[in-house]
Amino acid sequence: MKITWFGHSAFRLEFGDAVVLIDPFLSGNPAFEGDLGEATKGTTHVLLTHAHGDHVGDTVAIAKETGAKVVTNYDLCMYLAGQGVERFDPMNTGGTVDEGGFTVTMVRADHSAGLVEQGVGFPLGNANGLIVKAPGQPTVYHMGDTDIFSDMALIAELHRPDVVLVPIGDRFTMGAEVAALAMKRFLPDAKTAIPCHYGTFPLIAPTADGFVAAMQGAATQVVVPHKGMPVRIEG
């Protein structure tokens, strides 16, 4: 599996016949340094953790350009359908959908999930994490935006993720030390942790250094990818 981080919480997963974008906040993302067309080329699916603009990002444009199927909570799916998205697969917390070659499961996250337009916020489902499973590939857990919670241990027991995409930026999510505690206490068997949701805006942590330091001694390997440069994770 090739995993590319585009800054903030935006990732591209490539495996088998699938090209999966998660939370594709690209064109408005000050941390995104690549080419939008290249980053989204060949996209088959867009997965969204929640409705905040820095996660929905370019979803509508990508879906229209590539024909990708959007997978997210029911409320957000219906909203995006109203914005012109034609292929979508609605779900909700605890559910699993088969996307042909891989499955997506929605799990809990502790965060808000409203969309703000013209200064007015309205709810669009709950915030979630996402589990992506494919035969012969590492299982990926994108935590979404979240605080630590003890049921992460249940997520680990149920899904046994190999790779965890973990928010560390503080203020809106866990900070570095709490994120490291979540990994060490509740997900100690994960092979790889990739930090995200940092270095985007001045309000959040500028680097992953604190997380790397706090993970010292853990069995889990921390990978801090260069933005736009894929890393290969073996199953």
Side-chain angles (χ1 to χ4, degrees):
M1 177 183 287
K2 284 170 57 177
I3 300 178
T4 306
W5 179 53
F6 293 127
H8 209 55
S9 294
F11 287 88
R12 176 182 171 113
L13 312 182
E14 298 174 69
F15 55 92
D17 296 326
V19 176
V20 178
L21 295 183
I22 303 178
D23 288 356
F25 173 47
L26 302 174
S27 63
N29 179 355
F32 176 60
E33 300 170 349
D35 177 77
L36 182 63
E38 194 63 31
T40 61
K41 183 178 180 180
T43 302
T44 60
H45 296 78
V46 177
L47 314 183
L48 300 177
T49 60
H50 65 291
H52 285 161
D54 59 333
H55 294 261
V56 174
D58 299 286
T59 294
V60 174
I62 293 167
K64 289 180 178 180
E65 177 69 23
T66 66
K69 184 189 291 185
V70 176
V71 183
T72 189
N73 77 70
Y74 177 85
D75 306 64
L76 182 52
C77 264
M78 296 304 103
Y79 171 80
L80 293 173
Q83 304 302 304
V85 172
E86 295 183 353
R87 299 183 67 230
F88 51 89
D89 210 353
M91 59 187 310
N92 217 314
T93 312
T96 298
V97 292
D98 188 338
E99 295 304 322
F102 70 99
T103 63
V104 182
T105 302
M106 277 195 148
V107 297
R108 172 184 163 190
D110 280 0
H111 192 65
S112 59
L115 187 65
V116 178
E117 290 190 351
Q118 298 179 343
V120 178
F122 56 95
L124 282 173
N126 297 318
N128 288 102
L130 299 169
I131 306 286
V132 179
K133 295 180 181 179
Q137 301 291 337
T139 295
V140 177
Y141 172 21
H142 191 308
M143 286 185 166
D145 283 3
T146 191
D147 187 16
I148 191 173
F149 54 91
S150 60
D151 281 354
M152 287 177 176
L154 281 176
I155 293 171
E157 181 180 348
L158 288 167
H159 300 289
R160 304 188 183 282
D162 300 295
V163 180
V164 183
L165 312 178
V166 53
I168 64 156
D170 212 349
R171 186 178 287 263
F172 302 107
T173 70
M174 299 180 287
E177 292 187 1
V178 174
L181 177 63
M183 292 301 306
K184 290 178 176 180
R185 180 170 296 183
F186 301 128
L187 295 136
D189 295 328
K191 297 175 184 176
T192 306
I194 300 179
C196 63
H197 208 279
Y198 70 91
T200 319
F201 306 109
L203 289 174
I204 59 179
T207 73
D209 293 351
F211 180 70
V212 173
M215 285 291 288
Q216 291 294 319
T220 303
Q221 177 189 19
V222 177
V223 174
V224 182
H226 296 290
K227 291 190 287 291
M229 298 295 293
V231 295
R232 188 172 294 278
I233 307 292
E234 301 297 334

